[in-house]
Amino acid sequence: MRIKEQDSAGRFLRFSLWAMMLGLTALSAPDASAAKKRVSSKKGVVSKAAFQARVKRAVKRQCVRPGRLGLYIRSVSTAQTLYSHNAATKRIPASNVKLFTAAAALASLGPDYRFATDFYAKGKVRGGVLRGDLYLKGYGDPLFVHERMRDFVRRLKLRGVRRIEGDLVADDTFFDEKKHGRGWRVGRSIRPYLAPHGALSLNFGLANVLVAPGDRIGGPAMANLEPSSRALRLWAKVKTSRGKHPKIWLGRRRSKGRDLVQVGGSFPARGRMKTYRVPVTDPTAFTAGAVAAEMERQGIALKGGIRQAATPPDAKLLVRNLSPPLSEVVSGLNKFSNNFVAEQVLKTMGAETHGAPGTAEKGLRVVRDFLLSIGVSAKEIALADGSGLSRMNRASPRSLAVLLEAAHNDFRLRPEFMASLAVFGVDGTVKKRRRRGVDSRRVRVKTGVLNGVRAFSGYAAAGNGEILAFSILMNGNACRPKSLTGALVRSMVSLKRNFSNPVNAHLRGAREIMARPMPKPSIRDGWRRRSSPRPDPAGEDDFEELGPGIVPIAESPQDDSPDESPARAAPAEGGSAWPSKRDPGGRSRE
């Protein structure tokens, strides 16, 4: 009996201890839950303090040199700074400089500004003959490409011009003679992003080298230059191989007053035609030579030669080509980070504001005056070019965020400026970032990349409807760029802090709109990829797409052969086109 009483007392004691522990846990649970909620929540980051803690934690995890990181995040909806880390320190911004160039151009030139390329003449056109010289004058059009040039020459023909008794005179005096930005490391490089700029330029200052397989393995492949120009020659020695991938090297040197473009290597027999891009040495001569070749193709005879000179003041306009509006120009400038376009726009700003010839110094003066007018501190910027390719550029994260906030608050600039930025996970330089994320369309950015430099600035739409402007500048390999930017983007889009009633009412509409679903490109366009057959590049119906001019490489003229081994360069990425079909004798089957 005594043993049973002892067992009952032991069970009662154990039960009492268990109940006390359960009670203490229940009492402390609300405090622990609240502490956890202050840091994060399944519904998102619900306070400024929690947001700052999350950003700080991401910086600590992803940065090995936090002192070389500059970070600034600001809510443009509430005019409140959310996070600042070395925000006033100037760093190399790389291509984020294009944000300054694009915004200043939209403000000084206007979104509807168009670049012109003109034909002038002093003589009269009688019976299809132009007595005297034909003047080709450029005004810095960055989108004057092969297709627009062909239409430009066609309209000259529609004016009744069939023969030109004088010379074709190329006029590039709207800009100065400098072809590269200050601090650019050009040397003998033929990288496409180092293409020279000028008032009279064609195809972004690049010649396209088209390479396609030949008729038999071991035989010569086929190659051509596009557009054809009297200022270019081609030397090529590429074999058709059994491999799966092309192994192409490119070179360029001056020969007999022209650019000699060199291409060699091997190309797979079953490969699709590929385009490689080589920058030209003289964009003015290249453009004039291409126009002369196109005039010949369209049946306009040029009796004289090609030379460079200024257009006389008394010359009369014959034909004018206008570019797309500046709003479309800056879209390509920012989404795809085009250095050539940035420098063309910069010098055009200088010429239009301070008079021709346009120079980088005049353009930078316009950019600087604009930045100071919107509140950027002069101590936080030092610019050397318009594209950010120069390592002499300096800017602080705060200066970039101030620009972003000012552009957002100016309704005259906001639509075009925001539309020019790459949409996270959708297009431009960040097309492949977080493609499966539900928040991909809520971030618009401009990227920047140089050796040891990463830049990432733009806008993010938070979960509560706020619009955040941010700038991240990493110098000296400070952080893991993709991991850090990904963590910061997730933090910004998940911000769902509450405000007082007036502010909540103001943001309620934005929250409701952003809650609506948007299509995912990977799912939306999937059926297209599945149902589209892979075209045969050697199809009989395709050879007319390119027109005449493609010859087997073995038949290149002997005097085009280089005297020395060319400097090699890695191939540039390019699109594909269709090769011309030729019979074994080498004649065009057109």
Side-chain angles (χ1 to χ4, degrees):
M1 187 68 179
R2 184 175 300 176
I3 294 175
K4 290 184 178 180
E5 290 179 355
Q6 289 178 352
D7 291 342
S8 299
R11 286 196 298 271
F12 178 77
L13 180 61
R14 288 195 296 271
F15 178 78
S16 300
L17 290 173
W18 179 81
M20 290 176 62
M21 292 176 63
L22 184 62
L24 291 173
T25 303
L27 289 174
S28 61
D31 295 336
S33 177
K36 185 177 180 180
K37 190 174 183 181
R38 283 195 296 268
V39 177
S40 63
S41 169
K42 293 183 179 180
K43 297 181 179 180
V45 183
V46 297
S47 70
K48 179 181 176 180
F51 175 79
Q52 291 176 338
R54 186 167 176 176
V55 171
K56 186 175 182 179
R57 187 165 60 251
V59 171
K60 184 177 180 180
R61 288 178 177 177
Q62 306 299 338
C63 295
V64 293
R65 300 181 181 91
R68 298 184 182 182
L69 166 71
L71 172 60
Y72 192 73
I73 304 175
R74 183 171 173 84
S75 170
V76 299
S77 300
T78 61
Q80 183 182 18
T81 299
L82 299 182
Y83 195 86
S84 178
H85 176 80
N86 298 330
T89 303
K90 290 186 294 186
R91 303 184 187 279
I92 301 175
S95 286
N96 274 200
V97 168
K98 293 182 177 73
L99 293 173
F100 294 145
T101 303
L106 290 171
S108 62
L109 299 176
D112 57 335
Y113 179 87
R114 293 175 183 265
F115 302 80
T117 306
D118 296 339
F119 277 132
Y120 291 93
K122 292 182 65 177
K124 294 183 178 180
V125 180
R126 293 179 179 176
V129 178
L130 172 61
R131 307 291 178 179
D133 298 330
L134 177 67
Y135 296 89
L136 173 63
K137 185 174 178 64
Y139 293 91
D141 184 357
L143 300 185
F144 191 55
V145 293
H146 188 200
E147 293 78 8
R148 297 184 185 278
M149 183 268 290
R150 286 188 300 188
D151 181 68
F152 186 43
V153 174
R154 182 182 65 83
R155 286 189 283 133
L156 177 67
K157 185 176 182 180
L158 292 177
R159 287 294 305 269
V161 178
R162 297 295 185 274
R163 180 181 176 85
I164 301 168
E165 292 293 329
D167 297 333
L168 176 62
V169 183
D171 183 357
D172 62 357
T173 57
F174 193 64
F175 288 174
D176 64 356
E177 296 180 355
K178 295 181 179 179
K179 305 302 180 186
H180 296 95
R182 184 161 64 98
W184 287 21
R185 300 176 180 179
V186 181
R188 298 182 61 188
S189 174
I190 58 171
R191 299 288 183 180
Y193 59 79
L194 292 171
H197 44 266
L200 185 60
S201 296
L202 177 69
N203 253 31
F204 307 101
L206 301 171
N208 295 330
V209 182
L210 311 178
V211 182
D215 296 331
R216 59 184 177 84
I217 295 176
M222 305 172 72
N224 190 33
L225 286 177
E226 185 186 72
S228 58
S229 172
R230 295 186 180 182
L232 297 180
R233 294 188 299 164
L234 176 66
W235 178 91
K237 191 174 182 180
V238 182
K239 291 185 178 181
T240 304
S241 67
R242 298 179 182 272
K244 295 182 179 181
H245 305 286
K247 298 179 181 179
I248 299 295
W249 58 261
L250 301 171
R252 184 204 66 200
R253 70 180 182 88
R254 296 290 290 178
S255 174
K256 299 179 181 180
R258 295 187 289 178
D259 278 345
L260 179 62
V261 178
Q262 303 156 326
V263 55
S266 62
F267 200 87
R270 295 186 178 182
R272 301 180 62 182
M273 184 174 182
K274 289 185 69 67
T275 301
Y276 303 90
R277 295 180 172 88
V278 178
V280 300
T281 302
D282 187 345
T284 303
F286 169 59
T287 305
V291 169
E294 184 62 27
M295 287 195 300
E296 181 180 359
R297 195 186 75 84
Q298 295 196 26
I300 301 177
L302 177 63
K303 185 177 181 181
I306 301 174
R307 58 188 176 89
Q308 296 184 23
T311 303
D314 57 342
K316 295 182 179 179
L317 179 66
L318 287 180
V319 180
R320 168 163 289 170
N321 176 79
L322 291 177
S323 74
L326 182 64
S327 57
E328 296 184 26
V329 174
V330 298
S331 179
L333 164 66
N334 280 333
K335 280 185 182 292
F336 301 101
S337 200
N338 193 302
N339 298 321
F340 172 83
V341 174
E343 300 302 331
Q344 295 286 102
V345 170
L346 181 73
K347 288 192 174 182
T348 301
M349 275 192 287
E352 292 285 3
T353 306
H354 299 291
T359 65
E361 291 73 20
K362 291 179 181 178
L364 290 173
R365 197 188 315 167
V366 177
V367 174
R368 180 182 174 86
D369 291 343
F370 168 74
L371 295 178
L372 296 181
S373 70
I374 62 174
V376 174
S377 172
K379 297 180 180 180
E380 296 183 14
I381 53 171
L383 304 180
D385 65 10
S387 60
L389 193 57
S390 173
R391 302 184 77 92
M392 300 172 66
N393 289 302
R394 294 293 186 275
S396 69
R398 186 167 61 187
S399 66
L400 286 159
V402 169
L403 168 75
L404 292 167
E405 183 174 8
H408 178 271
N409 292 335
D410 190 341
F411 182 77
R412 300 167 298 175
L413 306 181
R414 185 199 305 175
E416 290 80 11
F417 182 77
M418 292 192 70
S420 74
L421 302 181
V423 182
F424 210 53
V426 176
D427 62 12
T429 56
V430 290
K431 183 177 182 178
K432 296 182 179 180
R433 298 287 298 274
R434 293 193 73 208
R435 295 187 64 178
R436 298 181 181 179
V438 295
D439 303 324
S440 61
R441 293 183 183 271
R442 286 165 53 183
V443 181
R444 291 178 177 266
V445 298
K446 176 72 194 76
T447 58
V449 177
L450 288 175
N451 287 337
V453 177
R454 295 294 186 273
F456 198 79
S457 302
Y459 300 100
N464 62 351
E466 283 184 272
I467 302 299
L468 309 182
F470 64 90
S471 179
I472 311 167
L473 301 183
M474 294 167 274
N475 285 189
N477 297 316
C479 310
R480 302 179 185 91
K482 287 190 176 181
S483 299
L484 178 62
T485 55
L488 295 181
V489 163
R490 289 191 294 272
S491 298
M492 288 186 283
V493 299
S494 63
L495 180 61
K496 296 182 179 180
R497 57 178 182 156
N498 291 319
F499 298 97
S500 60
N501 289 332
V503 180
N504 274 331
H506 173 70
L507 297 176
R508 185 178 298 115
R511 287 198 302 270
E512 293 175 354
I513 291 174
M514 283 193 296
R516 300 171 184 173
M518 287 288 289
K520 296 181 180 180
S522 57
I523 299 176
R524 180 196 60 200
D525 301 332
W527 69 272
R528 236 180 236 109
R529 289 190 297 272
R530 290 191 298 270
S531 62
S532 298
R534 184 180 178 86
D536 181 8
E540 290 290 334
D541 296 333
D542 297 323
F543 69 89
E544 293 184 352
E545 289 290 328
L546 204 58
I550 289 189
V551 297
I553 292 175
E555 297 186 4
S556 299
Q558 294 298 319
D559 62 341
D560 284 352
S561 300
D563 299 328
E564 58 185 6
S565 298
R568 300 191 177 189
E573 292 184 1
S576 59
W578 305 124
S580 294
K581 295 283 287 185
R582 297 211 169 236
D583 59 19
R587 294 182 299 171
S588 174
R589 283 168 41 188
E590 296 180 341

